[in-house]
Amino acid sequence: MSTELASKEQIQERISVVTCGLDGTFLSQLRDYTEENLDFIRMDRDFSSLKELTAHLNTQHAEIAFVHISEFTSFEEEQQALSETALAKLMVVTDKLEPFRAAPELLEPFAELVYHRTPVRVVTERMLTFETKKNLRLYTQVHPESHKKGQKKTVLVYSAKGGVGKTTVAINLGLQLAKKDKKVLLVDFATFGNVAVSLNLPRSVRGMSEAVGLLDQPGRENEELERRLGEAVYTLSFQGKKLDVLAAASAMRMTSLNLEKTDDLLAAIQRLDYDTVVVDTSSDLSEKNISLMSGATDLLFVSTTDIAASSSLLSTIELVDTLNRPLQNRHLVINHYNDSLGFPISELESILSMEVSVVIPDKYEQIQGYTNRGVLLAEKPGLRLNRFYRRAANLIDPVFTDKELGIRKKLFSGKGKKRK
């Protein structure tokens, strides 16, 4: 199979869909649905023949093509020809059931057979599930919906191995967004919650204990669960800004969170009035974490230059693939990076099939020093380390300037002239 996702720039604009030989009603329904519900989809040209469509794709870019099965004369060869273009997904449409009984040889998962009476919502979900060329899965992905104004975010900061600093990343990601006047809730879903300790919250803060206990009560109301969660929020004030925190419940109660309970708890949290919910959690592949991975709009995988930490991510990536969330944004953050080690970032990207979005330098002693004194890193605006946390936060909500991110604009392109 040989398919490829569009480039970042193309994805951030719109996903292009081309068609050939479709029934007028089916095409009209597809156009209407995408226009109303998926404004990042652009319904592009409709071609009169498969030959014309293939010629177009050899010179122009499109991610998805819908082609009626009657347009094919040599199914296997024409599929192969389309797969060698930049096309990411081929949807073969049929108005008869016979092809399903004796299905043609499909280049799965590049090509997929679709019955024309399938609900258009289901069709669009299936068309947005595709892989990359040479069987590589590119998990670093950004979709245009993530840049919509006013869209609520649920960000899961996750690592498959402990000790990589994901709690520090989660806390500082939330703090940086809060500094930009975003209404942020930081939630600790770890079995042995560390957020409260890291932020020096008062011992009286019980976190989600009552809310988790309520999940076992039959006939509970959603409103009551939301009320308990709201009452459990602790507001942290810093530099005239606010960050709301939901600390973890006791280890015993956090361990009791199965798939169903976590789904209910996360859904209630998402109904609270926040722009962004940042979730920290433990490193195990429990039902709780599977629920969080499925429910998040954005995944931030945190790893280090430790080979064991990086290889542990592979099983998580396989799991995320099965959850089938094609519109989920996913990023890889390398923490505790030391230039002197000469660690090959490019090799790690190749192994994980992920681009590294942010590299955070190793400043453990500096971070620990401020934490021990009860000082938040975000309270030190001149601290160089903060720009890297802003870069991580900018992946979620691009509200930072180049100066805040420590990015220097290039004044000239090409080679500069030599001085005389």
Side-chain angles (χ1 to χ4, degrees), residues 137-186:
R137 291 168 296 234
L138 187 61
Y139 283 91
T140 300
Q141 58 185 23
V142 180
H143 293 276
E145 290 223 317
S146 66
H147 298 291
K148 280 185 176 179
K149 291 183 178 180
Q151 186 189 26
K152 293 185 176 183
K153 299 295 191 68
T154 301
V155 186
L156 176 63
V157 182
Y158 181 79
S159 171
K161 190 174 186 296
V164 301
K166 62 178 174 52
T167 298
T168 302
V169 172
I171 289 173
N172 283 284
L173 186 152
L175 287 168
Q176 292 298 335
L177 289 174
K179 286 186 72 172
K180 299 296 282 187
D181 295 317
K182 296 294 179 180
K183 195 171 183 184
V184 182
L185 176 66
L186 175 63

Side-chain angles (χ1 to χ4, degrees), residues 133-416:
K133 280 188 184 286
K134 300 178 183 177
N135 290 322
L136 291 178
R137 291 168 296 234
L138 187 61
Y139 283 91
T140 300
Q141 58 185 23
V142 180
H143 293 276
E145 290 223 317
S146 66
H147 298 291
K148 280 185 176 179
K149 291 183 178 180
Q151 186 189 26
K152 293 185 176 183
K153 299 295 191 68
T154 301
V155 186
L156 176 63
V157 182
Y158 181 79
S159 171
K161 190 174 186 296
V164 301
K166 62 178 174 52
T167 298
T168 302
V169 172
I171 289 173
N172 283 284
L173 186 152
L175 287 168
Q176 292 298 335
L177 289 174
K179 286 186 72 172
K180 299 296 282 187
D181 295 317
K182 296 294 179 180
K183 195 171 183 184
V184 182
L185 176 66
L186 175 63
V187 187
D188 192 351
F189 264 97
T191 303
F192 299 94
N194 195 39
V195 168
V197 175
S198 299
L199 293 174
N200 293 305
L201 301 189
R203 290 183 177 273
S204 58
V205 174
R206 297 190 62 195
M208 294 188 286
S209 291
E210 291 189 6
V212 174
L214 188 64
L215 294 172
D216 289 320
Q217 296 184 15
R220 59 173 174 77
E221 297 291 335
N222 286 334
E223 291 78 7
E224 176 65 11
L225 181 58
E226 291 166 30
R227 184 181 68 80
R228 297 281 182 93
L229 287 168
E231 291 173 350
V233 170
Y234 178 88
T235 300
L236 185 72
S237 298
F238 67 105
Q239 292 189 319
K241 307 295 182 181
K242 293 182 179 180
L243 174 69
D244 284 351
V245 183
L246 258 178
S250 66
M252 183 176 295
R253 288 202 164 176
M254 296 305 293
T255 305
S256 73
L257 290 176
N258 57 19
L259 197 65
E260 183 179 357
K261 288 181 180 179
T262 310
D263 282 348
D264 290 347
L265 190 59
L266 182 61
I269 290 170
Q270 289 172 326
R271 289 193 294 269
L272 299 178
D273 185 25
Y274 289 95
D275 300 321
T276 305
V277 175
V278 178
V279 178
D280 183 37
T281 189
S282 44
S283 299
D284 54 306
L285 280 179
S286 59
E287 288 190 18
K288 173 191 69 180
N289 284 342
I290 291 172
S291 169
L292 296 175
M293 288 177 191
S294 181
T297 62
D298 298 73
L299 281 178
L300 236 65
F301 294 110
V302 180
S303 189
T304 67
T305 52
D306 175 15
I307 298 298
S310 301
S311 60
S312 298
L313 271 179
L314 286 171
S315 57
T316 307
I317 287 172
E318 292 289 340
L319 172 63
V320 171
D321 191 30
T322 65
L323 298 177
N324 193 20
R325 292 290 308 278
L327 298 184
Q328 189 177 59
N329 301 310
R330 299 162 192 155
H331 301 278
L332 176 61
V333 173
I334 301 299
N335 198 25
H336 301 320
Y337 183 78
N338 192 326
D339 288 327
S340 63
L341 295 176
F343 186 84
I345 292 291
S346 59
E347 288 186 23
L348 177 62
E349 291 177 322
S350 177
I351 291 169
L352 296 178
S353 294
M354 292 189 74
E355 296 174 354
V356 173
S357 299
V358 177
V359 176
I360 301 175
D362 184 17
K363 299 291 182 182
Y364 176 78
E365 293 181 0
Q366 187 179 64
I367 294 170
Q368 200 62 41
Y370 282 118
T371 301
N372 290 341
R373 299 199 304 272
V375 179
L376 300 176
L377 296 181
E379 292 180 299
K380 298 289 183 179
L383 195 65
R384 185 172 179 272
L385 187 59
N386 276 317
R387 71 174 61 170
F388 299 98
Y389 294 124
R390 285 194 285 268
R391 289 176 188 177
N394 203 60
L395 298 173
I396 308 305
D397 200 342
V399 292
F400 298 87
T401 65
D402 285 347
K403 183 178 180 180
E404 289 171 324
L405 299 174
I407 298 174
R408 294 181 179 178
K409 291 185 178 180
K410 293 181 180 180
L411 298 179
F412 303 100
S413 59
K415 296 180 178 179

